[in-house]
């Protein structure tokens, strides 16, 4: 979150969305309307065709949008060109008004652990912002100069609207945007189960050495049983269920089952209240 007093000085609100679940990770800020830049990040972990559709969907809705992966350093040329274009516009406007040396200011925004600091580090080409694989690494906010005339602001992940958040918790936990919570394990493992495409199932089966006769896609607990059995364990106690669920989620998050997209453009509604869809105009907070 950034202090509201900064908003008028920001030219770009760069929203980092997880390419695997863009609908659940987009929360537009009312202080930055018209300054949005959407970045579909972690794209190397998402299904490439699904990400392409999201990209087209956001472009059709009128938002500048780029597909990036901050660890693989892909997609950054497009972002830099876009920022250079904005800077030129700002310089032209400033010179018409007799002002000199304007600075373009951009804030990286998005849910905890989505990859804001990693994106900025890659953009800057140096490790200036602290990163880590659990939510809540960045505290407060921090400015860094990208070039002489571009400054970027790193912010802490925001959990703002509890009503929207409650419906997204399982998705966030699946993507490691929320720390493991036993109360959400059933919903989260079930979401993983129904989201895995056939090739990912085959990878999962091979990864845990699950023989076909043991392999059941039946329900979330059967899936955990199959995973636990590989280690000669069961899921007879709460602790064992938790241990196995954590392991399964961790393996998914490390990409052991390949590229998996959880939400598809046109199927999962974006519920951020300020978002305007291509067809329906602004949505209400309930996404209807
Ligand atoms: N594969 C992949 N991993 C990424 C990418 N971006 C970030 N990560 C990983 O995601 C984790 C979180 O990254 P951060 O940059 O710390 O996330 P953040 O949004 O700044 O998190 P907070 O400051 O806690 O809100 C780290 O382990 C990163 O290595 C990406 O594009 N691809
Ligand atoms: Mg951070």
């Amino acid at each position: 979150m950034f202090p509201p007093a900064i908003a008028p000085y920001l030219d770009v609100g760069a929203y980092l969305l997880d390419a695997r679940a863009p609908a659940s990770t987009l929360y537009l800020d009312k202080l930055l309307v018209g300054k949005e830049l959407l970045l579909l990040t972690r794209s190397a972990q998402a299904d490439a065709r699904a990400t392409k559709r999201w990209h087209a969907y956001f472009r059709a809705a009128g938002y500048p949008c780029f597909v990036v992966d901050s660890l693989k350093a892909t997609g950054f040329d497009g972002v830099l060109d876009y920022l250079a274009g904005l800077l030129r516009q700002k310089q032209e406007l400033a010179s018409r008004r007799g002002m000199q040396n304007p600075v373009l200011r951009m804030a990286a925004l998005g849910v905890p652990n989505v990859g804001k600091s990693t994106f900025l580090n890659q953009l800057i080409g140096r490790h200036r912002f602290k990163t880590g694989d659990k939510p809540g690494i960045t505290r407060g906010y921090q400015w860094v100069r990208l070039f002489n005339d571009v400054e970027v602001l790193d912010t802490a992940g925001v959990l703002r609207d509890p009503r929207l958040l409650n419906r997204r918790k399982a998705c966030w936990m699946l993507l490691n945007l929320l720390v493991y919570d036993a109360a959400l394990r059933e919903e989260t493992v079930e979401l993983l189960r129904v989201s895995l495409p056939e090739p990912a199932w085959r990878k999962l089966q091979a990864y845990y050495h699950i023989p076909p006769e043991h392999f059941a896609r039946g329900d979330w607990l059967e899936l955990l049983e199959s995973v636990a059995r590989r280690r000669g364990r069961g899921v007879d106690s709460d602790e064992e269920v938790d241990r196995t669920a954590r392991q399964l989620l961790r393996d998914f998050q490390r990409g052991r089952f390949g590229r998996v997209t959880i939400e598809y453009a046109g199927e999962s509604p974006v519920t951020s209240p300020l978002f305007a869809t291509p067809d329906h105009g602004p949505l209400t907070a309930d996404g209807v």
Side-chain angles (χ1 to χ4, degrees):
M1 193 49 166
F2 59 91
I6 291 181
Y9 303 100
L10 288 173
D11 302 289
V12 186
Y15 294 92
L16 278 293
L17 319 183
D18 192 311
R20 296 165 296 178
S24 286
T25 51
L26 174 58
Y27 293 90
L28 297 175
D29 197 303
K30 65 176 185 297
L31 296 176
L32 299 174
V33 171
K35 300 176 179 178
E36 299 91 350
L37 166 63
L38 305 188
L39 301 164
L40 289 160
T41 190
R42 295 169 177 259
S43 60
Q45 294 175 311
D47 177 80
R49 288 214 338 247
T51 304
K52 229 172 154 175
R53 277 180 50 198
W54 275 113
H55 178 255
Y57 178 86
F58 287 129
R59 289 268 175 171
Y63 294 96
C65 178
F66 295 90
V67 176
V68 299
D69 191 280
S70 306
L71 290 191
K72 296 220 182 287
T74 54
F76 280 77
D77 289 350
V79 179
L80 286 167
D81 283 352
Y82 177 77
L83 295 178
L86 287 185
L87 180 62
R88 266 196 308 277
Q89 279 176 22
K90 196 168 179 184
Q91 283 165 338
E92 279 161 21
L93 195 68
S95 76
R96 261 186 267 138
R97 292 177 178 166
M99 288 150 65
Q100 283 175 353
N101 305 327
V103 173
L104 189 80
R105 294 189 183 86
M106 177 181 92
L109 307 164
V111 300
N113 210 35
V114 70
K116 300 174 292 295
S117 304
T118 309
F119 168 78
L120 289 180
N121 284 337
Q122 187 57 250
L123 193 70
I124 294 166
R126 276 168 289 151
H127 192 93
R128 293 295 301 274
F129 299 107
K130 196 172 159 201
T131 63
D133 71 350
K134 58 175 195 229
I137 294 288
T138 304
R139 307 264 171 202
Y141 63 97
Q142 182 191 349
W143 283 105
V144 165
R145 194 163 280 256
L146 174 56
F147 305 116
N148 263 347
D149 33 22
V150 181
E151 288 174 6
V152 295
L153 178 73
D154 193 13
T155 66
V158 194
L159 298 174
R160 221 166 339 198
D161 189 332
R163 268 188 325 142
L164 294 178
L165 172 64
N166 279 337
R167 275 189 278 146
R168 306 296 193 176
K169 272 184 173 169
C171 183
W172 284 24
M173 191 163 115
L174 179 56
L175 301 178
N176 196 25
L177 306 174
L178 200 68
V179 290
Y180 182 86
D181 176 353
L184 294 170
R185 72 187 178 201
E186 175 174 346
E187 212 185 322
T188 308
V189 172
E190 186 58 17
L191 179 61
L192 175 63
R193 195 183 71 79
V194 300
S195 301
L196 286 181
E198 204 50 44
W201 274 110
R202 284 197 291 274
K203 283 196 174 129
L204 181 149
Q205 196 173 350
Y207 185 71
Y208 295 122
H209 307 291
I210 303 173
E213 66 272 21
H214 282 180
F215 193 63
R217 290 178 63 162
D219 68 11
W220 72 284
L221 202 53
E222 277 181 88
L223 171 59
L224 291 184
E225 260 168 9
S226 300
V227 172
R229 205 179 282 133
R230 178 213 174 191
R231 302 184 142 191
R233 292 201 169 118
V235 284
D236 304 329
S237 68
D238 232 26
E239 289 73 35
E240 282 169 331
V241 172
D242 266 331
R243 186 176 336 120
T244 314
R246 276 175 186 272
Q247 183 192 343
L248 177 67
L249 296 181
R250 209 165 37 237
D251 290 338
F252 166 73
Q253 288 153 4
R254 288 179 179 158
R256 303 285 189 247
F257 318 137
R259 290 166 165 245
V260 177
T261 286
I262 309 294
E263 294 176 339
Y264 290 85
E267 291 172 20
S268 296
V270 176
T271 49
S272 180
L274 291 169
F275 182 74
T277 64
D279 305 315
H280 309 108
L283 294 170
T284 67
D286 293 323
V288 291

